[in-house]
Amino acid sequence: MATITDPQADRTEAAPLRFLKAVPMVVYTLVGLLVFWELAVRLGDVPSFILPTPTAIAMEFYDYGHRLFPNAMVTLFEVLLGFTLAVLIGVPLAVSIVYSKFMAKGVYPLIVASQTIPKVAIAPLLLTWFGYGMTPKIVIVILLAFFPIVINSVMGLKSAPDEMLHLARSMGASSWQTFWKFRLPQALPSIFAGLKLATALSVIGAVVAEFIGADKGLGYLIVIAGANFDVTRQFAAIICIALIGMSFFLVLERVERFAIPWRDKSDGHD
C-alpha cells in the first residue's frame, strides 16, 4: 500500500536543517570555544581574578554597560577620525609619489625610514606638545594607519601594465583620464588591502594612546580596571575593542565589494 507524504510536513522538518546550514561555520566555532572556556574555568575552579567565565563577562556588560558604552564611543570616534584623516593624507601622498620623481626619491624613503621609530616612543612627546585631549590620540592613529595606506596605494598605482598606459595615451587619453580609467581601477584592490590593514592599526593606535595618557576611552578603562585587579572588566573592554575592529573591517569589506564589483565575479563569489 502506497504511503502519502505531506510536502508541507517535509518543508517544516527541513526548516531547522536549512537554518543550521545557513549559520556561518565561524559561529559554531565561537560557541564551541565559549562553552569550552566556561567549562574549563568552572571545572578547574580558576579564580575570577585570573580568568573570568564568559557568563561573568556577559554580566559585566549588563552591570557596567552605562560606562562601557560611552567610553567605547570615545575610542570609536578616535579610530574613525584618525583613519579618515590617514586616508585623506595617505592616498593623495601615494599619487604624488607615483607621479613625482622628487616625492618618489626625496620623500618616500623618509616615510619608509620613519616607520622604524616605535609610535609608543613618541607618544609621550605628543602628550607634551598637545596635552591629554583628543589631539595626541588622533595623531598616533594617523601615524600608525597611513603607512600601509601609502605603501599599498603606491604598489597598486604602479601595477598598471605599461602596455595599458601606452594604449590609453595612443588613443588620446589625458593624464587625468589615464589615472581615473586605468591606473585607479587597477590599483583599487591594493588600496583596499592597505585600508583594511589600516583599520586594525587604527584601533591599536587609539587604545595604545589611551594607555599612555587619557581620562576616557576603552584603553583608559582597561588601565583603571587593571589597577583595581578587575580582570572581568578588562575582558569586557577588550571585547568592545574587538567588536569595534571587526565591525570596522566588515564595513570596509562591504565598501570594497561596492567599489570593485568585478572582483567578486572574477573570484567566482556570489
Side-chain angles (χ1 to χ4, degrees):
M1 182 176 180
T3 59
I4 301 175
T5 60
D6 185 0
Q8 183 65 31
D10 291 341
R11 286 195 295 269
T12 304
E13 291 178 0
L17 183 60
R18 289 200 302 271
F19 174 77
L20 292 175
K21 289 182 178 180
V23 176
M25 185 63 67
V26 66
V27 174
Y28 295 116
T29 304
L30 180 60
V31 171
L33 289 174
L34 291 175
V35 171
F36 174 78
W37 180 357
E38 184 83 22
L39 293 176
V41 172
R42 290 185 180 276
L43 296 177
D45 199 22
V46 180
S48 60
F49 64 85
I50 293 179
L51 183 62
T53 61
T55 53
I57 298 171
M59 287 302 301
E60 185 70 18
F61 275 99
Y62 179 78
D63 296 334
Y64 199 67
H66 64 284
R67 288 291 308 278
L68 281 169
F69 182 76
N71 284 279
M73 291 299 100
V74 172
T75 301
L76 178 61
F77 177 77
E78 294 168 354
V79 170
L80 290 177
L81 181 57
F83 176 82
T84 302
L85 293 175
V87 173
L88 294 177
I89 295 171
V91 175
L93 185 60
V95 174
S96 66
I97 289 171
V98 171
Y99 280 91
S100 170
K101 287 186 178 180
F102 169 76
M103 296 296 294
K105 296 183 178 180
V107 177
Y108 190 50
L110 297 178
I111 294 174
V112 175
S114 69
Q115 298 308 300
T116 61
I117 303 173
K119 302 305 176 289
V120 177
I122 64 174
L125 289 175
L126 296 176
L127 293 175
T128 302
W129 294 338
F130 302 111
Y132 284 82
M134 189 74 68
T135 303
K137 284 81 171 175
I138 301 301
V139 173
I140 291 177
V141 172
I142 293 172
L143 292 176
L144 278 173
F146 100 103
F147 183 70
I149 295 174
V150 172
I151 293 295
N152 283 273
S153 297
V154 169
M155 292 176 59
L157 292 170
K158 287 184 176 181
S159 66
D162 292 335
E163 295 82 1
M164 179 190 297
L165 301 179
H166 292 322
L167 177 62
R169 295 191 190 100
S170 67
M171 296 177 66
S174 64
S175 297
W176 171 252
Q177 290 173 326
T178 302
F179 170 79
W180 187 252
K181 295 183 179 294
F182 294 92
R183 276 194 185 274
L184 185 59
Q186 187 78 17
L188 281 177
S190 295
I191 293 174
F192 272 100
L195 294 178
K196 287 189 283 190
L197 178 58
T199 59
L201 294 176
S202 298
V203 177
I204 293 171
V207 174
V208 168
E210 292 170 352
F211 282 162
I212 295 170
D215 57 359
K216 50 190 173 182
L218 292 173
Y220 167 75
L221 284 187
I222 291 174
V223 172
I224 297 301
N228 295 323
F229 299 99
D230 193 342
V231 179
T232 304
R233 189 159 298 171
Q234 285 183 309
F235 266 99
I238 290 170
I239 290 172
C240 287
I241 294 169
L243 290 174
I244 289 174
M246 288 188 294
S247 301
F248 197 8
F249 186 90
L250 291 175
V251 168
L252 197 58
E253 273 206 331
R254 289 293 181 181
V255 174
E256 180 184 16
R257 289 186 179 184
F258 176 78
I260 321 176
W262 62 86
R263 190 177 187 186
D264 283 344
K265 295 177 181 179
S266 64
D267 292 342
H269 298 158
D270 294 334

